[in-house]
Amino acid sequence: MSGRVAIVGTGNVGVAAAYALFQQRVARELLLVDRDRERAEGEAMDLAHGQALVGSCPVRAADWADLAGCDVVVLAAGVGQQPGEDRLSLLQRNAEVLAGIAAELDHHAPEAVVIVASNPVDLLTRILQRLSRRPAERILGTGTMLDTSRFRALLGYHYGINPRSVHAYILGEHGDSEVPLWSDATIGGQNLRGATINGRPWDPEALHGLFTEVRDAAYAIIQRKGYTNTAIGLVIAYLTRVILDDQKSVVPVSAAVDGEFGLSDLCLSLPRVVGAGGVEGSVLPEPDEDERAALTASGETLAGHLAGLDLDGLRA
C-alpha cells in the first residue's frame, strides 16, 4: 500500500491522530483536510518541522481532490461533545456534516478504507455506510477500541499487571449502553471471575466500579480539560497501522451487524478481523445470558436513534 493517509478535521482529535501517526511513523504521507484551510496549513507546517527528529513523512494541507490514491481516510470532523452532553445528542449535527463529506470521498477516494472517529461513532458509521457507494466493510468506526483500552488499563492497575497482558473487551455501543464482557476477561489465560490473580481476589463490587469509571471516562475528562483527544489519537494510529500492514488483527471496531445477537441494519462493536480490506471477518464471543441481553439492548438503543433519522433529507 502507498501509506497515504488523510485526516478530515483538524480539531483536537484530528491533530492528536496526526501526531500519533507521524510520531509512530505509521503513514508515509499525511494529508490534512479542514474547511478552515489556514488551520490545516498551520497544523501541517508545525508537524512537518519534526521530521528531522522522527524521520521523513511529508505532511501537508489538502483539498478533496488530493485524496486520490489514499489508502486510509480518517473522519475526525464534526461538532465536539460538550460538558454534560452525551454522545447521542451529537447525532443530528454531525450527521449533517457527514452527508457532505460522503459525496466528496466517494468521488475522490473511492478505494480508501474509511475510519470514522467522530461521535456518536456507531451511528455515524452506519449513516456513512448508507450514504456512501463503497462497500460497507470498507467503512468502520473506532467503536469501543478506546473503551477496551481504558478497561485493560484500569484492570492492569487493579491487578498490578501490565495492561498488555490483560485480555478483556468492552463491546456494543461506544457510549452509555456499552457492555463489559466479564465472562471472557482473562489474565494469563485465567478468567477473572472467581479467581485470585497476583494476590488480588475477584471482587465484583470493586470491578463494577472500575467498569463504571471506564464507561464514564469521557465525561470525567471533558469536565476537566474540555475534550478527549490523546488516547483516541493513539487508537486511530493503531487501527491505521492494522489496515496498512494488512495485519488481520482482531479489534473491537464498530461495523455492520447482520443477525448477530438478533441485530441488523446498524453498527456496533464486536471483535472483528481487520486488514487491508477493512472488516474482513468476525470472531464472535460467547457471552453469558446477561451479557447477551445487554448487547441486544445496546443495539436496540442505537437502532431507535437511527429509526428517527431522515437520510433522504441528508442526501438532499
Side-chain angles (χ1 to χ4, degrees):
M1 302 180 83
S2 69
R4 298 184 80 224
V5 177
I7 297 176
V8 180
T10 57
N12 295 316
V13 170
V15 169
Y19 178 76
L21 288 160
F22 179 84
Q23 199 273 338
Q24 296 179 24
R25 304 191 68 180
V26 175
R28 295 187 182 92
E29 181 182 7
L30 271 174
L31 306 177
L32 305 183
V33 178
D34 199 287
R35 62 181 180 180
D36 183 346
R37 173 76 184 207
E38 286 195 349
R39 174 165 184 160
E41 289 174 350
E43 296 291 357
M45 291 167 65
D46 197 12
L47 198 54
H49 294 165
Q51 290 180 89
L53 305 172
V54 173
S56 177
C57 177
V59 187
R60 63 187 175 92
D63 297 315
W64 293 116
D66 299 320
L67 271 54
C70 280
D71 297 311
V72 176
V73 175
V74 177
L75 296 189
V79 180
Q81 190 175 354
Q82 299 300 310
E85 182 180 34
D86 64 56
R87 295 178 182 94
L88 292 177
S89 66
L90 296 175
L91 177 59
Q92 189 61 43
R93 289 181 291 161
N94 279 341
E96 291 167 1
V97 172
L98 197 65
I101 291 173
E104 298 287 0
L105 293 183
D106 279 353
H107 182 66
H108 296 290
E111 302 301 321
V113 175
V114 179
I115 298 173
V116 180
S118 302
N119 278 318
V121 65
D122 306 291
L123 297 170
L124 294 181
T125 300
R126 188 55 177 162
I127 290 167
L128 184 61
Q129 289 176 348
R130 291 183 179 181
L131 294 173
S132 175
R133 295 192 301 271
R134 80 191 64 226
E137 61 268 20
R138 299 185 72 80
I139 299 172
L140 59 153
T142 51
T144 58
M145 284 185 68
L146 176 54
D147 311 88
T148 293
S149 179
R150 289 169 172 158
F151 194 39
R152 294 177 181 181
L154 293 186
L155 285 170
Y157 297 153
H158 179 81
Y159 285 103
I161 297 287
N162 186 328
R164 288 188 171 187
S165 297
V166 177
H167 300 280
Y169 285 111
I170 300 289
L171 301 178
E173 177 202 0
H174 172 55
D176 295 342
S177 70
E178 64 189 34
V179 181
L181 211 67
W182 292 111
S183 64
D184 198 42
T186 65
I187 293 176
Q190 187 170 14
N191 191 279
L192 302 188
R193 279 182 170 171
T196 296
I197 297 176
N198 203 26
R200 296 296 299 269
W202 169 253
D203 184 341
E205 184 176 350
L207 291 172
H208 177 73
L210 181 149
F211 162 66
T212 300
E213 186 176 348
V214 170
R215 184 194 62 203
D216 297 341
Y219 300 127
I221 295 168
I222 290 168
Q223 184 178 17
R224 288 161 173 79
K225 63 177 272 191
Y227 55 88
T228 65
N229 67 326
T230 50
I232 188 61
L234 293 170
V235 165
I236 292 166
Y238 184 100
L239 185 53
T240 301
R241 188 188 294 278
V242 165
I243 295 166
L244 293 178
D245 291 350
D246 195 21
Q247 288 184 10
K248 318 294 187 191
S249 293
V250 178
V251 285
V253 295
S254 188
V257 293
D258 184 18
E260 297 95 334
F261 306 106
L263 301 169
S264 60
D265 196 25
L266 57 88
C267 287
L268 52 65
S269 287
L270 296 171
R272 306 291 190 177
V273 180
V274 177
V279 175
E280 300 180 0
S282 300
V283 181
L284 294 180
E286 296 182 1
D288 64 27
E289 185 176 343
D290 289 340
E291 292 165 344
R292 180 178 293 272
L295 282 170
T296 299
S298 185
E300 289 172 348
T301 295
L302 294 168
H305 288 276
L306 280 172
L309 193 66
D310 180 12
L311 287 183
D312 290 332
L314 289 176
R315 290 187 182 96

